[in-house]
Amino acid sequence: MHKPLNGMFRVLVCRVRSRLCGLPLDAVEETLRPQPLRPLKSPAVHVQGLARIRGDWLPVVDLAGLLGLTESGVVPAPADAAAVRRYVVVRAGDRRVALAVAEVLGLQTFAAEQLRALPPLLRDRDHGAVSALAERDDELIAVLDQARLFPDDLPPTAALSAADGGEAASHRGAAS
């Protein structure tokens, strides 16, 4: 998990299906409306496709699927507007991805002592992106670790573009 600033953690709270997730604010680049998707012929798990954002083709990852909040083996259709109304662009090192979420609820600041470690039974691969738990009113927030949000099987954006037959890369200079 990222280090607190003056003992405080700032997260962007998002709704993913019926759950709340907190993304470390220092990893968030921007939030935006969903952009047109270019589907991939052989997408990595939970990657809905590529979206052109600020001139770059970024993989769009279904955060609900990545966190195991969808039916087993079912990846929602990219056009499922009811489930995805916002993208949150996050980065970890030199990797960037657009996370598909239901809505962005705003910023929340937590004192370090307000964050709780995951119970031992939840420390498994299915909960790998969750680094801590916090509460807001009576709701539980899963605080995510941006470094663990990138699926192991997510190839670099250039490889994703190549998998699309280079069509995404060839539109780099086109207006979006």
Side-chain angles (χ1 to χ4, degrees), residues 99-163:
L99 299 173
V101 301
E103 68 182 310
V104 174
L105 300 173
L107 298 177
Q108 184 78 40
T109 302
F110 295 106
E113 59 272 7
Q114 290 179 286
L115 298 178
R116 309 261 187 267
L118 283 178
L121 287 175
L122 297 179
R123 293 181 195 150
D124 59 18
R125 182 167 167 74
D126 290 339
H127 299 90
V130 179
S131 62
L133 299 173
E135 289 182 65
R136 182 175 87 167
D137 299 327
D138 285 334
E139 293 186 281
L140 187 63
I141 299 174
V143 179
L144 306 178
D145 182 344
Q146 74 271 16
R148 293 189 257 169
L149 285 174
F150 295 86
D152 293 336
D153 58 354
L154 180 64
T157 303
L160 289 170
S161 297

Side-chain angles (χ1 to χ4, degrees), residues 1-4 8-11 24-26 143-146:
M1 185 162 45
H2 64 289
K3 294 182 180 181
M8 305 299 279
F9 288 94
R10 295 191 68 201
V11 297
L25 190 58
D26 59 353
V143 179
L144 306 178
D145 182 344
Q146 74 271 16

Side-chain angles (χ1 to χ4, degrees), residues 3-174:
K3 294 182 180 181
L5 180 63
N6 297 325
M8 305 299 279
F9 288 94
R10 295 191 68 201
V11 297
L12 181 69
V13 179
C14 301
R15 185 168 307 281
V16 180
R17 301 259 174 184
S18 63
R19 309 261 173 89
L20 296 183
C21 295
L23 298 165
L25 190 58
D26 59 353
V28 174
E29 288 188 3
E30 68 178 308
T31 66
L32 62 154
R33 290 186 191 100
Q35 304 296 303
L37 279 176
R38 183 159 320 260
L40 299 172
K41 293 177 184 166
S42 331
V45 174
H46 309 303
V47 176
Q48 296 179 334
L50 295 173
R52 187 174 176 163
I53 299 174
R54 308 268 180 244
D56 292 326
W57 289 98
L58 297 182
V60 176
V61 173
D62 170 41
L63 189 54
L66 184 67
L67 296 174
L69 301 176
T70 59
E71 293 179 35
S72 180
V74 177
V75 177
D80 186 4
V84 175
R85 293 193 307 244
R86 299 297 288 179
Y87 286 170
V88 179
V89 177
V90 296
R91 68 182 160 352
D94 61 348
R95 297 178 78 187
R96 296 171 62 219
V97 68
L99 299 173
V101 301
E103 68 182 310
V104 174
L105 300 173
L107 298 177
Q108 184 78 40
T109 302
F110 295 106
E113 59 272 7
Q114 290 179 286
L115 298 178
R116 309 261 187 267
L118 283 178
L121 287 175
L122 297 179
R123 293 181 195 150
D124 59 18
R125 182 167 167 74
D126 290 339
H127 299 90
V130 179
S131 62
L133 299 173
E135 289 182 65
R136 182 175 87 167
D137 299 327
D138 285 334
E139 293 186 281
L140 187 63
I141 299 174
V143 179
L144 306 178
D145 182 344
Q146 74 271 16
R148 293 189 257 169
L149 285 174
F150 295 86
D152 293 336
D153 58 354
L154 180 64
T157 303
L160 289 170
S161 297
D164 191 34
E167 190 174 343
S170 69
H171 291 346
R172 178 172 273 285

